């Protein structure tokens, strides 16, 4: 039997398409229907992040506000410019990595504090089995995000 987690991993890893995940707890807030107002980007210099940014471009261009989230010493300027986003106005939000905290959980928290109603991230930078065994960034991000998340691998 295939459970939801198996279906999610198969879709993300094998289809080579981004996934937009909507939490079941999300309730509409009276959006004007034009897209996501504030989009947060979890910054990582990986091919998965590149795929996520390419997929999110229409939402990024339509957003009223874009926030690049930096955890630790991540720098977004190169990542954003390499993905053709240098012409967009993007706020920078820097946070020190919390001791004992997982980066995925912290990205979800920082996106919420920034008022994001969409979070864009690359997924499964490490081997899927290692992330499953050790509880990697993607797993913690999915467990903690309260807003829609666009993921790409």
């Amino acid at each position: 039997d295939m459970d939801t987690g198996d279906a999610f991993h198969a879709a993300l890893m094998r289809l080579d398409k981004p996934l937009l995940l909507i939490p079941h707890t999300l309730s509409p807030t009276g959006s004007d229907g034009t897209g996501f107002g504030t989009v947060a980007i979890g910054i990582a210099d990986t091919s998965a992040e590149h795929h996520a940014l390419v997929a999110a471009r229409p939402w990024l261009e339509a957003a009223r506000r874009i926030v690049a989230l930096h955890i630790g010493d991540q720098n977004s300027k190169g990542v954003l410019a390499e993905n053709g986003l240098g012409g967009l106005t993007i706020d920078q939000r820097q946070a020190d990595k919390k001791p004992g905290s997982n980066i995925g959980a912290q990205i979800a928290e920082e996106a919420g504090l920034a008022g994001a109603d969409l979070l864009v991230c690359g997924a499964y930078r490490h081997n899927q089995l290692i992330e499953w065994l050790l509880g990697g960034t993607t797993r913690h991000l999915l467990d903690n995000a309260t807003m829609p998340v666009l993921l790409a691998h």
Side-chain angles (χ1 to χ4, degrees), residues 43 70-76 94-97 103:
I43 295 299
H70 312 270
I71 307 297
D73 60 1
Q74 289 284 349
N75 183 339
S76 70
Q94 177 74 38
D96 293 330
K97 182 172 181 330
I103 289 180

Side-chain angles (χ1 to χ4, degrees), residues 47-65:
S47 62
E49 180 72 18
H50 168 75
H51 290 146
L53 291 172
V54 167
R57 179 137 194 140
W59 286 301
L60 294 170
E61 290 175 346
R64 288 186 298 279
R65 182 172 173 240

Side-chain angles (χ1 to χ4, degrees), residues 66-136:
I66 305 169
V67 181
L69 305 174
H70 312 270
I71 307 297
D73 60 1
Q74 289 284 349
N75 183 339
S76 70
K77 290 184 177 35
V79 173
L80 297 172
E82 288 170 14
N83 287 287
L85 302 177
L88 297 175
T89 301
I90 301 175
D91 298 336
Q92 308 295 316
R93 184 176 179 97
Q94 177 74 38
D96 293 330
K97 182 172 181 330
K98 294 179 181 176
S101 174
N102 180 280
I103 289 180
Q106 192 171 352
I107 290 170
E109 178 185 353
E110 291 295 329
L113 292 172
D117 45 23
L118 173 66
L119 175 57
V120 175
C121 290
Y124 295 111
R125 178 175 65 172
H126 301 292
N127 177 293
Q128 183 181 354
L129 178 61
I130 290 172
E131 289 226 7
W132 178 78
L133 288 171
L134 302 178

Side-chain angles (χ1 to χ4, degrees), residues 13-76:
M13 303 300 273
R14 294 191 182 118
L15 294 180
D16 196 33
K17 300 288 183 196
L19 294 178
L20 178 60
L21 305 169
I22 309 293
H24 72 280
T25 57
L26 186 71
S27 61
T29 58
S31 169
D32 60 7
T34 59
F36 298 104
T38 300
V39 178
I41 303 169
I43 295 299
D45 191 7
T46 66
S47 62
E49 180 72 18
H50 168 75
H51 290 146
L53 291 172
V54 167
R57 179 137 194 140
W59 286 301
L60 294 170
E61 290 175 346
R64 288 186 298 279
R65 182 172 173 240
I66 305 169
V67 181
L69 305 174
H70 312 270
I71 307 297
D73 60 1
Q74 289 284 349
N75 183 339
S76 70

